[in-house]
Amino acid sequence: MKIERIELQQLHIPLRFRFETSFGCTVVKELILVSVYGEGEVGYAESVAMPDPYYNEETTETVWHMMERFLIPKLFASPIETPEDVDRLFAPVRRNHMAKAALEGAIWDLYSKQKGVSLAKALGGSKSVIDVGISIGIEPTVDQVLAKVERHLAEGYKKIKVKIKPGFDVELISAIRKQFGDDVPLMADANSAYTMEHIDVMKELDQYGLMMIEQPLAHDDIIDHAKLQRELSTPICLDESIHSVEDARKAIELGSCGIINIKVGRVGGLTESKRIHDFCQAHDIPVWCGGMIESGVGRAHNIAITSLPNFTIPGDTAASSRYWEEDIVEGGVELIAPGQLAVPDGPGIGYALNARAIGNYVLRSTNFRP
């Protein structure tokens, strides 16, 4: 693959609403749009890192620095034949997974376009339609969450995920079950807000028939999660603890979880996402694709990876119009039926960029050449 130019653009996109988790509140999405040019095609991806190091250690600034100082020079210095070569090329650089994933994802898109196939097909995906769920942040009151649950159930979303934190958990889940019944596919996401001292809270949540409790304990833990899982009938889903197929292997062997959330940025790219998917499939551990409030570019990448067969649980890739007044892809990423998204069959990610919207949101832009 011949790479002729790489462009980085930092964008600030206002959300239509505040989105709160146990570690912070987002009202503006900050991202880095990566464009990789080669042989008449352009591949696109985005960095999902946040401005602050609260979800993980990376930030928008560190991602820009790592790409500019280390990763882009490596791409220009070594020939690559396939996107898998990028994963091997970046391997000597420790962690910095979101920086790696942004560049590798753009090269996957470029590779797919050069081959004239969809990104989903290039990854080995087979689905033409995927089921999707919705993620609801922490609100000032339980009633405000209930109102959102009611609206999103009416829209047909196939899974309801609610964010929880100590003091905003059992009462919330109990109220959702009381109002909407036990058949609603419901899960709770703690974003590492609890410790083993909260085991009584976890056991209370265990009685509500949840699909899973996501990452209740520390962001880097698999030991205490194994202890907790033995005390619960509800599957634990690991998110922040899984950065590689090796992390997945260890967690599964220890019994730390029954489900794994694969976020492309968190694990370092589509190649590693595929490896985790394949390993989990071989060990009967279902996976699903988590969201990081992506623009349409990142959502297109999520859709593509979710087309693989072991993504059996609806992910977080909700419609663009829920988040943005105007997405950076033409037409946005929208439902084709209640709770369903189409897997594009055109070359690459299957979406054209909205240049006018990007121009409205861009803060800085830099080009790199060999």
Side-chain angles (χ1 to χ4, degrees), residues 106-248:
I107 290 171
W108 266 107
D109 184 34
L110 177 64
Y111 174 82
S112 304
K113 288 170 177 171
Q114 289 177 348
K115 296 295 183 182
V117 300
S118 69
L119 178 58
K121 184 175 180 179
L123 291 168
S126 56
K127 301 172 190 171
S128 59
V129 174
I130 62 169
D131 290 337
V132 292
I134 199 87
S135 179
I136 299 173
I138 293 169
E139 297 289 341
T141 68
V142 169
D143 284 343
Q144 286 172 281
V145 176
L146 293 177
K148 291 195 171 186
V149 171
E150 183 173 28
R151 181 167 74 252
H152 296 316
L153 285 174
E155 292 167 340
Y157 282 103
K158 308 295 185 183
K159 182 190 73 181
I160 300 294
K161 178 169 90 171
V162 293
K163 299 285 187 176
I164 61 171
K165 65 179 180 179
F168 195 78
D169 40 44
V170 176
E171 180 188 1
L172 171 66
I173 298 300
S174 175
I176 293 171
R177 283 294 187 226
K178 183 177 180 180
Q179 182 161 333
F180 301 104
D182 294 336
D183 294 334
V184 169
L186 178 65
M187 62 168 286
D189 182 9
N191 288 116
S192 305
Y194 298 81
T195 70
M196 287 297 285
E197 294 182 0
H198 296 98
I199 191 167
D200 289 342
V201 175
M202 295 295 109
K203 288 184 175 181
E204 282 194 73
L205 292 175
D206 203 30
Q207 67 182 303
Y208 290 104
L210 298 175
M211 299 174 71
M212 68 192 87
I213 300 173
E214 185 178 1
Q215 196 73 35
L217 306 179
H219 70 96
D220 55 357
D221 171 75
I222 57 174
I223 303 296
D224 284 346
H225 277 104
K227 295 176 184 177
L228 179 60
Q229 183 66 92
R230 289 193 290 271
E231 299 293 324
L232 303 178
S233 58
T234 304
I236 288 174
C237 170
L238 289 182
D239 174 359
E240 289 96 323
S241 294
I242 306 299
H243 302 94
S244 66
V245 70
E246 272 298 289
D247 288 345

Side-chain angles (χ1 to χ4, degrees), residues 48 55 98 101 104 123 159 161 187 212 214-215 237-245 247-248 252 257 259-281 285-292 294 298 301-317:
V48 296
Y55 172 79
M98 291 178 175
E104 190 226 40
L123 291 168
K159 182 190 73 181
K161 178 169 90 171
M187 62 168 286
M212 68 192 87
E214 185 178 1
Q215 196 73 35
C237 170
L238 289 182
D239 174 359
E240 289 96 323
S241 294
I242 306 299
H243 302 94
S244 66
V245 70
D247 288 345
I252 292 168
C257 62
I259 298 169
I260 286 178
N261 168 353
I262 297 177
K263 289 178 178 171
V264 177
R266 191 193 71 235
V267 304
L270 291 165
T271 302
E272 191 68 11
S273 296
K274 285 178 60 182
R275 291 193 189 108
I276 297 170
H277 165 275
D278 294 348
F279 184 86
C280 288
Q281 185 173 31
I285 300 292
V287 301
W288 57 282
C289 183
M292 294 288 289
E294 294 92 344
H301 282 261
N302 289 349
I303 292 169
I305 195 70
T306 303
S307 69
L308 273 64
N310 196 42
F311 282 89
T312 56
I313 298 170
D316 285 346
T317 308

Side-chain angles (χ1 to χ4, degrees), residues 1-18:
M1 297 179 66
K2 183 179 181 181
I3 299 175
E4 298 161 359
R5 178 165 67 95
I6 296 174
E7 182 179 24
L8 304 182
Q9 294 170 285
Q10 183 179 348
L11 309 181
H12 275 199
I13 312 177
L15 269 72
R16 298 183 69 177
F17 60 94
R18 59 186 287 281

